[in-house]
Each structure stands twice: as structure tokens, then as C-alpha cells.
Amino acid sequence: MKQGKPVKSAGSGKPAKAAAAAKSAKPAKAAAAAKSGKPAKPESHLAMVRRARRINRELAEIYPYAHPELDFRNPFELLVATVLSAQTTDLRVNQTTPALFAAYPTPEDMAAAVPEELEELIRPTGFFRAKAKSLIGLSASIRDNFGGEVPGRLADLVTLPGVGRKTANVVLGNAFGVPGITVDTHFGRLVRRWKWTEQEDPEKVEAEIAAIFPKSEWTMLSHRVVFHGRRICHARRPACGACPIAPLCPSYGEGETDPEKARKLLKYEMGGQPGQRLSPPPDYPGRPAPALGAG
């Protein structure tokens, strides 16, 4: 079994530098035109692609340490953690999985679990009965159909109970090095804010974004976009005034534009707070998250 490793970073992280860069950020041309009362010219598809690729390059500089925010040591652990992450935070999953993997380290072990005992271990992640059923089912399928090894193909992964394209792409990209775009709520929200797509269906979003970027960028693009959504471009109150890519954003102004107020909205390492992983990569610039019950 291949060992799952965090994606290599592009260099040392400088969250303070990213926040400082936002001080000089100006609204995107479209937002500026709207404020002045002048209609903005429609953006051509080619211009959108160029802007999208520039945003990706900017995000690579802002988050050179971007990585999967689930703790895992092998493909099975990543698969289980990703299934558990539905409708909860990666932090809560990371706080739950140490005890879970100590009790059930292999697919064979988890397939033989007593449902009520498994449910109790994963209770903190919510929807624990449905998740326990999926975990036992996928573990049994891995044991019976794939020789006890997590399969490394999309077509095989999506046959496992509780595993869809999003989960499969997470596992492929981060445990097997197979490029994939992970369309979670953060990713979908941001690519629509940036006008890369108008699609709502995750598979259609995945297809349209895949057409914009080379395949080699898909996995890291996913991490960068999700990092930005969790730290700066929040769902309810984006920190527009502290956003280093504000000049490239056609939705600038949907959130707080005052730089000082916006900086107070920054989360995780950007806001000087602990991250989501208990065991982050060595180059992560923030503080590890606390264990369950430690704060």
C-alpha cells in the first residue's frame, strides 16, 4: 500500500505578507466600474481563463504550504477521514480519527466492527449512524473486492459505499498522486464568485474548471482555492479588504472592504489561530490544532 503524504509545498509560508499585501489591493475593474456608474464590458472567455490562471498563480504565492487538511498516514485513513468530513469540519474529524484508527487500523478491522461501537467513536462528527454504515460497507468492499487495498482508480473508488467523485478525487490526488479537482462547498462558492463558472452541480463545476487549467494543476488548485475560502473568502462575510487577490475579483465588495475590519475576519494561520490539523506538514506556518477535549 502506498503511503499517503501531504502535497509538497512551494516554499515557506508567509501569511503576514499575504495580509499586508491586501493593504494596497484595489477593487477589480468590474467592481470599480459599477461604483462609478459605468457598465463594465463583458469579459471574454479568453480573458476569464487568463484571469483564472493568474488567480491560481497568486494563490500559489499566498499559500505555498497548501495541503489536505485531514490527518492521514495512508490511503485507507484518508478515505475514511474524507467520508467522515461530510457535514462537519476537518478539525473535528482530525480530533476523532486517532482513537478510530487505533481501534480499526485496516479495512479488515473496520469491516468487522460492531456498528454500535464504531458509531460511538465517530459520534463527534455527526450523522454517525449513516457514516458508520458507509465505513463498514466500504471497508468490506475493499477487503472482498480489492484485496484489502484501497483502489487507485476513480471508477473503482466510486463503487465503494459512501464514496462519490469528490471523495474519490481527494484520495486520488493526495494518496496516489493522480490529479483531480475536489468540488466542495468552498471550491464551488469561490469559482462562482470569481465567475469561472455559473454551474451549481458539482460534476458540471468540475468539468468546466478542468477545462480552464492543465491537469497537472488540478490537485493543488483545489487545495489553494479551499484554503482561500476557509481563511479569507468566507461564505457570509468575506474579508475583501484583506484579500491579496482583490484586484482580480469581480465580486469585490460583497464582504468587508475596510482593511482593519477585514483583517479581524481572517481565520487559522492568517488570523494567528490554530489550524485544522493535529499533525500538519513541517512547513505549515501556523499552530497545530488541539486534540479533542484539549481546548
Side-chain angles (χ1 to χ4, degrees):
M1 180 180 289
K2 296 182 181 179
Q3 295 296 304
K5 298 180 180 179
V7 177
K8 293 181 180 179
S9 69
S12 59
K14 303 289 185 182
K17 178 181 177 182
K23 290 183 178 180
S24 60
K26 297 179 181 179
K29 291 181 180 179
K35 286 186 176 182
S36 67
K38 298 178 181 178
K41 293 182 180 179
E43 184 178 44
S44 69
H45 179 74
L46 177 59
M48 182 275 290
V49 170
R50 287 174 174 169
R51 180 172 57 82
R53 292 183 176 182
R54 184 178 172 190
I55 286 176
N56 183 42
R57 292 194 298 271
E58 294 284 340
L59 292 178
E61 293 187 9
I62 298 164
Y63 309 109
Y65 51 88
H67 60 273
E69 293 190 270
L70 291 168
D71 288 329
F72 70 99
R73 296 168 296 185
N74 55 57
F76 178 63
E77 290 190 356
L78 179 58
L79 175 61
V80 169
T82 306
V83 169
L84 290 177
S85 69
Q87 303 298 314
T88 191
T89 64
D90 286 357
L91 170 59
R92 183 49 58 94
V93 174
N94 291 335
Q95 292 173 325
T96 302
T97 51
L100 176 66
F101 294 137
Y104 310 108
T106 69
E108 291 82 0
D109 295 321
M110 195 167 287
V114 175
E116 291 77 13
E117 294 177 0
L118 178 57
E119 289 171 6
E120 193 58 34
L121 281 172
I122 65 173
R123 182 184 290 268
T125 69
F127 302 95
F128 55 90
R129 291 189 179 89
K131 290 179 180 179
K133 183 178 180 180
S134 292
L135 294 184
I136 291 174
L138 70 84
S139 297
S141 181
I142 292 170
R143 178 196 62 194
D144 299 339
N145 302 323
F146 300 102
E149 301 285 339
V150 175
R153 296 195 318 142
L154 179 66
D156 293 331
L157 282 167
V158 295
T159 67
L160 302 176
V163 177
R165 287 185 66 92
K166 184 191 82 169
T167 296
N169 278 328
V170 170
V171 174
L172 290 174
N174 299 290
F176 293 100
V178 177
I181 292 174
T182 302
V183 183
D184 69 357
T185 55
H186 300 286
F187 190 95
R189 180 179 76 251
L190 266 63
V191 297
R192 285 187 287 273
R193 272 184 179 163
W194 294 334
K195 312 302 181 187
W196 295 359
T197 181
E198 295 181 354
Q199 299 294 339
E200 295 284 344
D201 179 79
E203 287 195 30
K204 292 180 179 179
V205 171
E206 180 185 340
E208 290 200 0
I209 303 307
I212 297 174
F213 297 92
K215 194 172 184 178
S216 60
E217 286 290 304
W218 290 355
T219 298
M220 286 308 301
L221 170 72
S222 300
H223 290 319
R224 294 164 189 154
V225 173
V226 171
F227 256 57
H228 194 65
R230 287 174 170 169
R231 287 150 178 78
I232 296 178
C233 196
H234 312 308
R236 295 182 180 177
R237 198 178 177 193
C240 295
C243 180
I245 62 167
L248 300 170
C249 181
S251 298
Y252 175 88
E254 286 188 8
E256 179 58 65
T257 57
D258 180 84
E260 291 301 322
K261 293 180 180 178
R263 277 194 286 276
K264 293 179 181 179
L265 301 175
L266 300 179
K267 294 184 178 179
Y268 302 113
E269 76 282 354
M270 288 288 182
Q273 303 154 359
Q276 298 203 77
R277 293 190 67 168
L278 277 66
S279 301
D283 59 352
Y284 176 65
R287 289 180 285 148
L292 194 63

